[in-house]
Amino acid sequence: MYLRPSLGLVLITLTCLQVFGLYLFLKGFLLTRQTFPLQGRSYDSWDRFPVHQTPLQQVPTVIEPKQPFKRTVVILIDALRFDFVLDIENATNPYYLNQFPVLQQLQRTQPQSSLLFQFRADPPTTTMQRVKGIMTGSLPTFIDAGANFASSAVGEDHLLNHIKSKFEKMYFFGDDTWVNLFPETFNDTSRRFESDSFKMLDLDSVDNDILKHLWPVMEGEDQWQVAIAHFLGVDHCGHTYGPSDPNMAIKLNQMNGVIERMLNYVDKDTLLVVMGDHGMSVEGDHGGESVEELMSTLFLYSPRQLTLDSDYYRVFFKQIHQQRASRLGYDIESISTRLLYDASKYPIVAQIHLVPTLAYLLQVPIPFGNLGAIIPDVIYPAHDTNTLASLLHMVQQFRVNALQVFDYLNQYADQTHQIDFSAEKIKPILHHLYTAEEIMVQLVNQPQFLSKVEAEQITQEELELFDTQLKEAILAYDAFLISTIKYCEAIWAQFDTGCMFIGIVLLGVSTLASFWMMMFRPHISYKKAFGVCALVLSICLVGAYVTLSHVGGQGWFEKMEDIDWIGASAALAICCIFFLMKSKQVAPTSVFWYTCDWYLLLIADIAQSFTLGSNSYVIWEDYGTLFALGSLSVCWTLRNLKALASYTRFSVLEAVLYPLLFLILVRITSVTGQCREEQFPDCSYIYSNSLEFGNHAVGYFSLLLMVMTVSMLGYLSRWLPNAQFAAVYLVSGIIVVLRMVQEIYLKNTVLQKTQYLMVLEKCMDVYLPRVVYGLCLVGTGACIYSKKYTKVTIGWSVLLLWSTVLAIVQRPFASIIVLASPILIDLLSRGSSSSLLIRLGLLHFLGHHLFFVTGHQASFTSLPWKAAFVGFDEMNYYGGMILVTLSTMAGHIISWLGMFILLVDVPSLLTLPLHLLTLLQSIPTFLCAIFILILRRHLMTWKIFAPRFLVQILIEVGAHLAVIGLEKTL
Amino acid sequence: MKSFGTELAIGLLSIGLNYGATFKLPTTSLLNEPVATLSTAVPILFIGHIVLIVLSNVFRGTTNKALRTVGYSITACVLSTGILHLVTVLFGAPLIEKIPNTFLFSAYLSILTIMPCFEALEENVWIKVFLQHSPTTTSEIYAYTQAICALSGAWIGAIVLPLDWDRDWQAWPISCVISTYVGHSVGVLAALVWSSIKLLFGKKKSE
């Protein structure tokens, strides 16, 4: 009894193995966090008291906080490392130490009014992520699910939102990152003066621009309430010259002057916040998580008393800060050794702590998604009451903060049903909160406590009676807040390396199995197969059990569930069965390409895969793909020339002609595309925006392009079997051209919105695209189900009909390219079978090339969101998703349809080409996964490597499905 | 045996000529001013290689054919400069900007590819050598390896272009010029090794 799986079954099994490997890998790799469109609210101090039992009737007196500030100045100095603001003796570095002394001088002269902290950033230390963290109080993750990819705007509740609703007159100066992040807050263009943040070599223009506008506003008529200034000079100086440079001294002195001058405008009702968003490394760069990059500065100042200034409180605050530092694992010693100051002298606060702190000082609600804990030093009751009342006031503020975080945790658990947030898992964290509430319940139940709180004066003994319990309650609330941060950090920022590793092993083994199946015929006895299956399965399961009980924890196998282990073991067992099938493939000797060429393609593919591990090559992949196409075209030419029987002038010309024409067309298409952010300023694509119908040369060019497109449609329609199909194709094609004309026309014309025009627009945007979708589906169906046509005709009809759908969801230039792409397929389909594999390889790279030239890039910002609205008035979730996917994958889909046309002549010899096509995608996926594992802490992971990997996954799965489809239909 | 020495001598001379013309003779440095440097280097190379063609004919004792070979080589060189310019653009070189850079590079590459063939080949065996890829005699081997290695060198040189190392030699077309030069030199060495092996072990077969 022999097991002889058919080619289709083998392909399907291999696809399942790959998908399962990818699933495990992604499970370990993708860090996600759900964001909610909910607004934070203000809590009563004793809301739901106690939170874990039925509320008590009796609650303590509410101690009011001091009057909130009426005006706030936030000065954010980019890359202000903590040691830049120090004013110390024996300065060892002349350029950045003691150059910005004003903060410490203030602290020395007015200790009650100024607070200086080490401000610890959460990696990644990039400005955009930091500003987001400082304003939302949330931790950074890769995907903020629910957020909008299309713009970088923050999609959840943030502090500015609440400040804006209380303080209308809000001014902004400096780095335009803020405007991009919070477009709704800074919608008043007369009150914002943003500057471009990308000119690294320019140290002064942003800062000077800020200063030009800042002082007039400060002195101006308009009663400003909030002013935010984001200075970039220090950061740019770091990038350009590094911290140890005379320019740094100049920049820091300038900032010193700015703060000194600003002090003139800071009165008793004004709060001055000076902070940095991150530090800078020894070389002056940032983005990573070294101590130099993490330690920034936070300074709070107001002429009125800002902090309870007595040794009693100072000792207590220090205790809180120490508890936080030890819970969050801050390594104070390493800060001291690497940054040349005594880090234990200044408290360390996490950046997200600023959110509840500012919310308290301005008396606005804490944003919904905040995880930060209030900085205790700023808590100050309204009246100079007794110590007990001050402590009770502190309890209230911690409790409000804790309630907000508690609500957030509950909301997160309810909405996501994530196991990590189940009641069972967060029980130890909630335990702190319940302890604190328990202590407060006990205190409230003692009648003399409340009377003592309200007393004018209390004696030392009376204080001692309660102060231990109050402090314990505060520390317990704080423990709840800090453990939540630590827990969420672990869940949202922890890769499961074990999971990723197993995923990679599966990807590698199944890729190898794919290769094996390409070389050998699947043929094995049932006995052997079952034996191996059982053996490998049991070994793997025992291995998994042993690993689990010994390795576990800290990012290894935490996310692997039992079913994953079983699945992984089964996958390995199946691969082992594949490896045992070793009988020789019966190769038809007549076919030349069978023994050759596939290794050339594999080498080219592996070489191309290795470029995925280098950020430069990923950034310039559009050019790399063109280069690969050029090289393979040369191979095609050489193969043609070598296969010639006689070398007449005509035959040589013919051998060269098709590769040359193909390459010329490919090069012409590559003048358009979309630039990645990282490609500037060396990127010079022609944009769709440059088309117009004015009376200039451009107008004639655009018209010519449209006419050319229509005549091309007519030329292409001759491949269709009969006039009906040609009509369907031409109608769809002309609708695509009409939409192009409309898009180009609307771009540079302002039209009065009349009734008539609205109807026309709706027709163009909604109904016409639907006609195209409908015609395409009907046409495809008619073509496949009527038995009249040959396979070649079906292939061409499907390709042409679908090219119209793929074209309508693109921008104008890309539409033309997609409509013209059948010509490229036609060129590739001309050639003898000796070059078939090379042409398949060309088709494989052509798909990727079309992906780039139709205006897509492997980055989130370039996702074609507009495509979701082609044919739909409102956002339709699934329809939109399909359209965006179609738009993104258009190039690849065309290449897969082209494969059908290329392979239709050789149906008996499919094993090698089909396996080769899957290998061409699974090898890059496998290598890309390895690079991601190695580079998972790399600065560019989330910006460059991860999006590229996601695109790779999409192509890989698509290609596998396409190959299965090819096997079934050919 | 005689052709072995002649080809080697001509090959080594052309390596020397290329080196001098690219790196030594121009007053400007390739790294700082590629266009200016190549504008001097290319004419020097052109004339130098024509001299080498004449010289190779003199060595072989076919002086009467020298003039015709020179004529053919100049035509081929000019034509192939145009073709190589097109191919370079097809491979991704900028279409409109940096035309001088691309053109000088194609001229450089075409001289280093075409001229050695005219120096090495004695008779008209182009189809056998370059279309069927089967060079047999020493002079054919020299022509074949020099041309193929120079072209491969130029191809490999493009690999460093996208890297973000900010080095001078990454500017177009410096890395490709250098790698073309290196490729040609490797070609001469490869021809030496190949023809030596053929001479030592392949004697029975050829006779």
Side-chain angles (χ1 to χ4, degrees):
Chain A
M1 287 294 282
Y2 286 97
L3 174 64
R4 290 192 193 85
S6 66
L7 179 57
L9 185 65
V10 170
L11 286 173
I12 291 172
T13 317
L14 287 171
T15 307
C16 292
L17 292 178
Q18 288 270 325
V19 170
F20 187 63
L22 284 173
Y23 161 75
L24 283 186
F25 184 84
L26 285 180
K27 202 170 182 182
F29 177 62
L30 284 188
L31 318 168
T32 49
R33 180 170 67 92
Q34 190 76 39
T35 59
F36 306 106
L38 294 172
Q39 300 277 315
R41 61 187 179 91
S42 51
Y43 292 87
D44 292 333
S45 300
W46 300 105
D47 187 17
R48 285 177 276 164
F49 175 70
V51 78
H52 60 303
Q53 286 162 5
T54 41
L56 290 184
Q57 289 303 319
Q58 190 187 19
V59 295
T61 347
V62 177
I63 313 283
E64 290 297 330
K66 236 181 178 175
Q67 192 192 6
F69 289 97
K70 291 188 180 120
R71 278 178 298 278
T72 313
V73 183
V74 177
I75 294 191
L76 201 160
I77 300 171
D78 213 291
L80 187 67
R81 199 163 79 190
F82 187 71
D83 50 355
F84 292 178
V85 301
L86 289 179
D87 183 27
I88 48 177
E89 290 169 22
N90 324 322
T92 41
N93 186 301
Y95 300 124
Y96 60 78
L97 289 177
N98 294 358
Q99 298 297 336
F100 190 179
V102 61
L103 304 184
Q104 275 218 309
Q105 284 162 4
L106 274 174
Q107 202 195 12
R108 225 169 283 140
T109 52
Q110 305 175 41
Q112 299 178 330
S113 307
S114 37
L115 290 166
L116 180 65
F117 302 101
Q118 301 180 66
F119 204 30
R120 190 182 180 282
D122 297 299
T125 49
T126 52
T127 300
M128 203 252 268
Q129 291 283 0
R130 291 302 83 238
V131 170
K132 204 169 162 183
I134 291 172
M135 284 299 134
T136 58
S138 63
L139 297 167
T141 47
F142 173 45
I143 297 175
D144 293 346
N148 188 1
F149 280 132
S151 72
S152 48
V154 170
E156 55 185 325
D157 193 19
H158 54 86
L159 191 60
L160 287 176
N161 194 5
H162 297 288
I163 295 180
K164 182 79 189 274
S165 54
K166 186 168 177 184
F167 304 96
E168 183 53 33
K169 292 174 181 169
M170 183 188 270
Y171 282 86
F172 178 76
F173 312 85
D175 189 341
D176 59 354
T177 309
W178 288 69
V179 181
N180 295 333
L181 284 175
F182 313 109
E184 280 134 36
T185 311
F186 299 113
N187 52 4
D188 183 357
T189 43
S190 66
R191 290 203 175 106
R192 64 169 214 237
F193 306 95
E194 77 269 26
S195 320
D196 196 358
S197 58
F198 280 111
K199 298 181 192 103
M200 282 298 175
L201 297 173
D202 177 6
L203 304 192
D204 292 317
S205 68
V206 173
D207 292 0
N208 292 344
D209 201 41
I210 296 173
L211 297 177
K212 197 173 87 194
H213 295 108
L214 179 61
W215 304 125
V217 167
M218 288 285 127
E219 288 155 5
E221 300 288 300
D222 193 28
Q223 296 288 311
W224 60 274
Q225 291 174 304
V226 179
I228 301 170
H230 188 145
F231 290 90
L232 285 171
V234 174
D235 178 58
H236 285 187
C237 179
H239 284 299
T240 316
Y241 303 105
S244 236
D245 188 273
N247 281 299
M248 187 56 91
I250 297 170
K251 268 336 285 189
L252 288 174
N253 286 335
Q254 186 194 11
M255 290 300 119
N256 197 57
V258 169
I259 305 294
E260 274 173 355
R261 185 164 171 193
M262 184 52 84
L263 290 176
N264 299 330
Y265 305 100
V266 177
D267 59 12
K268 273 190 180 310
D269 284 328
T270 310
L271 174 68
L272 172 68
V273 183
V274 180
M275 60 182 172
D277 55 347
H278 47 73
M280 67 171 68
S281 66
V282 184
E283 292 82 30
D285 296 320
H286 57 87
E289 41 194 304
S290 69
V291 165
E292 291 88 348
E293 290 160 275
L294 293 183
M295 301 320 288
S296 183
T297 315
L298 173 65
F299 179 75
L300 301 171
Y301 171 80
S302 174
R304 85 175 189 201
Q305 194 167 356
L306 197 62
T307 178
L308 288 163
D309 188 46
S310 77
D311 284 338
Y312 175 81
Y313 293 112
R314 224 171 276 145
V315 171
F316 183 47
F317 294 153
K318 191 159 189 191
Q319 192 187 350
I320 295 178
H321 285 301
Q322 268 169 358
Q323 181 183 299
R324 287 181 176 182
S326 70
R327 272 184 198 278
L328 290 172
Y330 295 156
D331 189 354
I332 295 172
E333 253 176 54
S334 90
I335 301 172
S336 301
T337 48
R338 290 177 67 173
L339 282 174
L340 306 169
Y341 64 86
D342 185 3
S344 59
K345 270 165 79 180
Y346 313 93
I348 304 179
V349 301
Q351 277 188 339
I352 52 173
H353 293 346
L354 184 64
V355 176
T357 309
L358 279 182
Y360 168 73
L361 288 173
L362 303 177
Q363 289 298 308
V364 294
I366 304 173
F368 183 79
N370 165 62
L371 286 178
I374 188 166
I375 302 173
D377 310 52
V378 302
I379 301 177
Y380 204 113
H383 310 289
D384 281 330
T385 43
N386 65 47
T387 317
L388 219 46
S390 299
L391 280 177
L392 186 61
H393 178 62
M394 217 174 279
V395 170
Q396 284 170 11
Q397 299 315 320
F398 270 92
R399 190 169 183 279
V400 165
N401 196 175
L403 273 183
Q404 171 263 322
V405 171
F406 178 68
D407 283 349
Y408 177 67
L409 283 181
N410 283 338
Q411 175 76 15
Y412 203 94
D414 284 349
Q415 292 292 315
T416 61
H417 304 292
Q418 207 173 321
I419 301 167
D420 291 316
F421 285 91
S422 62
E424 197 58 34
K425 289 258 185 176
I426 58 171
K427 207 172 155 193
I429 302 174
L430 291 181
H431 176 70
H432 294 296
L433 179 62
Y434 297 158
T435 316
E437 296 278 282
E438 206 62 51
I439 297 171
M440 290 316 295
V441 169
Q442 276 174 20
L443 272 175
V444 170
N445 285 339
Q446 296 175 39
Q448 79 245 52
F449 169 70
L450 293 178
S451 63
K452 286 287 182 287
V453 166
E454 278 161 16
E456 277 292 305
Q457 286 290 320
I458 49 164
T459 60
Q460 191 63 32
E461 294 85 57
E462 285 168 334
L463 172 66
E464 273 170 14
L465 203 60
F466 298 113
D467 96 320
T468 340
Q469 281 171 293
L470 280 172
K471 280 180 176 173
E472 263 175 28
I474 293 175
L475 287 176
Y477 283 122
D478 191 56
F480 164 69
L481 291 167
I482 303 299
S483 332
T484 310
I485 297 179
K486 195 162 165 51
Y487 186 71
C488 291
E489 219 168 45
I491 287 167
W492 289 335
Q494 183 76 60
F495 298 110
D496 189 336
T497 321
C499 219
M500 290 165 82
F501 181 75
I502 295 213
I504 286 180
V505 168
L506 285 187
L507 283 175
V509 172
S510 60
T511 306
L512 209 60
S514 196
F515 181 74
W516 206 259
M517 285 296 98
M518 184 171 93
M519 306 303 293
F520 300 108
R521 193 155 51 96
H523 181 87
I524 193 171
S525 72
Y526 272 110
K527 217 160 108 190
K528 215 166 155 189
F530 279 121
V532 170
C533 191
L535 185 70
V536 175
L537 205 60
S538 49
I539 291 176
C540 286
L541 286 177
V542 170
Y545 181 74
V546 173
T547 338
L548 258 191
S549 46
H550 287 276
V551 181
Q554 269 310 304
W556 282 86
F557 307 117
E558 277 173 342
K559 292 182 184 168
M560 287 284 273
E561 288 155 43
D562 293 345
I563 188 82
D564 295 334
W565 284 109
I566 295 170
S569 310
L572 273 180
I574 293 170
C575 286
C576 286
I577 297 177
F578 277 133
F579 289 134
L580 283 176
M581 301 179 177
K582 284 197 293 195
S583 52
K584 271 268 177 236
Q585 194 76 256
V586 202
T589 44
S590 61
V591 183
F592 177 67
W593 50 264
Y594 222 97
T595 49
C596 202
D597 277 352
W598 58 264
Y599 62 83
L600 177 87
L601 282 181
L602 284 188
I603 290 169
D605 192 54
I606 291 170
Q608 194 249 348
S609 312
F610 271 104
T611 63
L612 296 180
S614 151
N615 50 354
S616 318
Y617 283 110
V618 176
I619 292 172
W620 295 102
E621 206 183 354
D622 35 2
Y623 285 88
T625 314
L626 180 64
F627 195 73
L629 277 172
S631 312
L632 276 178
S633 297
V634 170
C635 290
W636 183 17
T637 319
L638 292 180
R639 170 73 65 250
N640 276 355
L641 286 174
K642 204 172 178 190
L644 285 183
S646 67
Y647 292 91
T648 62
R649 205 161 282 171
F650 179 72
S651 67
V652 170
L653 195 66
E654 198 190 9
V656 179
L657 184 68
Y658 291 124
L660 190 66
L661 269 180
F662 173 75
L663 198 52
I664 287 175
L665 277 182
V666 161
R667 183 65 179 89
I668 289 174
T669 55
S670 77
V671 299
T672 176
Q674 194 187 17
C675 295
R676 275 181 87 106
E677 186 189 321
E678 297 88 351
Q679 287 180 335
F680 289 113
D682 299 321
C683 179
S684 55
Y685 281 131
I686 299 177
Y687 287 98
S688 306
N689 284 358
S690 51
L691 291 177
E692 56 173 90
F693 294 127
N695 284 324
H696 336 282
V698 185
Y700 293 119
F701 174 71
S702 307
L703 276 176
L704 184 73
L705 216 54
M706 296 300 132
V707 172
M708 262 173 53
T709 315
V710 174
S711 44
M712 188 180 70
L713 291 175
Y715 169 76
L716 285 173
S717 65
R718 80 200 159 92
W719 278 315
L720 290 162
N722 56 35
Q724 283 97 317
F725 278 107
V728 165
Y729 174 65
L730 280 177
V731 167
S732 306
I734 286 169
I735 290 177
V736 175
V737 175
L738 277 180
R739 293 247 323 151
M740 276 191 257
V741 171
Q742 178 210 15
E743 189 166 327
I744 298 167
Y745 191 72
L746 280 185
K747 201 177 63 247
N748 30 42
T749 338
V750 185
L751 288 176
Q752 213 78 47
K753 289 253 170 192
T754 59
Q755 189 74 33
Y756 168 70
L757 264 178
M758 298 276 273
V759 174
L760 187 70
E761 205 163 86
K762 177 141 180 149
C763 272
M764 293 293 269
D765 285 342
V766 180
Y767 300 117
L768 286 187
R770 286 185 189 176
V771 170
V772 176
Y773 302 152
L775 283 178
C776 169
L777 289 178
V778 171
T780 314
C783 187
I784 290 173
Y785 285 105
S786 86
K787 301 242 154 64
K788 282 189 285 184
Y789 310 115
T790 59
K791 278 185 175 172
V792 190
T793 323
I794 295 178
W796 277 112
S797 312
V798 172
L799 175 65
L800 285 177
L801 289 174
W802 276 88
S803 74
T804 57
V805 170
L806 295 174
I808 204 166
V809 288
Q810 312 280 353
R811 282 160 277 215
F813 263 130
S815 301
I816 297 176
I817 290 174
V818 171
L819 283 180
S821 55
I823 296 179
L824 287 168
I825 307 282
D826 179 41
L827 286 174
L828 278 180
S829 69
R830 286 159 195 245
S832 62
S833 65
S834 69
S835 62
L836 178 70
L837 284 189
I838 287 186
R839 285 181 287 127
L840 275 179
L842 274 169
L843 198 53
H844 160 83
F845 284 106
L846 176 69
H848 210 49
H849 174 76
L850 288 177
F851 170 78
F852 289 114
V853 301
T854 50
H856 305 285
Q857 284 283 359
S859 70
F860 287 118
T861 39
S862 63
L863 274 175
W865 291 104
K866 249 181 110 179
F869 297 97
V870 178
F872 292 97
D873 238 353
E874 290 142 32
M875 182 68 182
N876 173 322
Y877 189 76
Y878 294 103
M881 212 165 66
I882 291 170
L883 287 177
V884 170
T885 315
L886 276 184
S887 170
T888 313
M889 306 291 293
H892 293 103
I893 293 174
I894 283 175
S895 110
W896 297 327
L897 291 175
M899 281 167 190
F900 181 88
I901 292 168
L902 255 68
L903 286 173
V904 83
D905 295 331
V906 280
S908 58
L909 307 166
L910 280 174
T911 320
L912 188 124
L914 289 187
H915 278 299
L916 189 66
L917 286 176
T918 58
L919 269 179
L920 286 182
Q921 290 299 357
S922 53
I923 291 174
T925 313
F926 170 57
L927 286 176
C928 199
I930 294 181
F931 296 139
I932 290 267
L933 178 72
I934 298 169
L935 299 169
R936 65 187 185 281
R937 295 287 180 199
H938 189 271
L939 174 59
M940 293 293 175
T941 305
W942 300 117
K943 212 156 177 212
I944 293 177
F945 295 112
R948 179 63 185 84
F949 183 62
L950 295 184
V951 169
Q952 183 60 43
I953 289 173
L954 211 60
I955 309 170
E956 140 108 345
V957 175
H960 273 82
L961 294 180
V963 165
I964 293 175
L966 285 178
E967 200 275 332
K968 294 285 163 222
T969 48
L970 280 170
Chain B
M1 199 58 214
K2 189 188 166 215
S3 75
F4 185 82
T6 317
E7 300 297 346
L8 182 60
I10 295 286
L12 290 179
L13 273 177
S14 67
I15 293 181
L17 170 66
N18 296 342
Y19 180 73
T22 319
F23 301 106
K24 289 292 165 201
L25 291 178
T27 47
T28 49
S29 116
L30 181 67
L31 287 186
N32 300 328
E33 295 164 71
V35 176
T37 314
L38 283 177
S39 325
T40 357
V42 165
I44 298 176
L45 269 178
F46 191 61
I47 294 166
H49 274 283
I50 289 175
V51 172
L52 274 183
I53 290 175
V54 175
L55 212 58
S56 70
N57 275 303
V58 171
F59 278 171
R60 289 200 202 93
T62 51
T63 325
N64 52 338
K65 275 163 70 180
L67 198 62
R68 212 172 47 175
T69 323
V70 168
Y72 277 137
S73 70
I74 290 173
T75 323
C77 217
V78 171
L79 275 179
S80 72
T81 303
I83 294 171
L84 283 173
H85 188 109
L86 174 73
V87 171
T88 320
V89 171
L90 288 181
F91 267 70
L95 198 63
I96 297 159
E97 300 128 51
K98 299 194 178 174
I99 286 181
N101 302 37
T102 313
F103 180 77
L104 286 168
F105 165 68
S106 5
Y108 187 89
L109 177 59
S110 115
I111 293 173
L112 258 65
T113 313
I114 300 292
M115 291 302 199
C117 302
F118 282 97
E119 285 154 24
L121 287 181
E122 291 166 57
E123 52 218 293
N124 191 353
V125 283
W126 294 89
I127 287 176
K128 178 186 161 219
V129 176
F130 288 103
L131 294 187
Q132 293 174 327
H133 303 280
S134 45
T136 41
T137 67
T138 309
S139 71
E140 284 167 15
I141 288 172
Y142 268 88
Y144 183 70
T145 54
Q146 286 184 63
I148 295 294
C149 289
L151 286 172
S152 316
W155 181 80
I156 286 172
I159 285 172
V160 297
L161 288 175
L163 290 171
D164 57 354
W165 295 345
D166 286 333
R167 297 298 155 89
D168 293 337
W169 45 262
Q170 282 184 292
W172 170 248
I174 300 174
S175 63
C176 287
V177 167
I178 295 173
S179 66
T180 309
Y181 163 74
V182 173
H184 172 262
S185 313
V186 170
V188 173
L189 288 181
L192 173 64
V193 173
W194 188 350
S195 55
S196 310
I197 290 173
K198 198 142 193 171
L199 217 61
L200 292 177
F201 302 105
K203 217 148 197 187
K204 276 175 208 155
K205 219 176 173 184
S206 63
E207 279 169 1

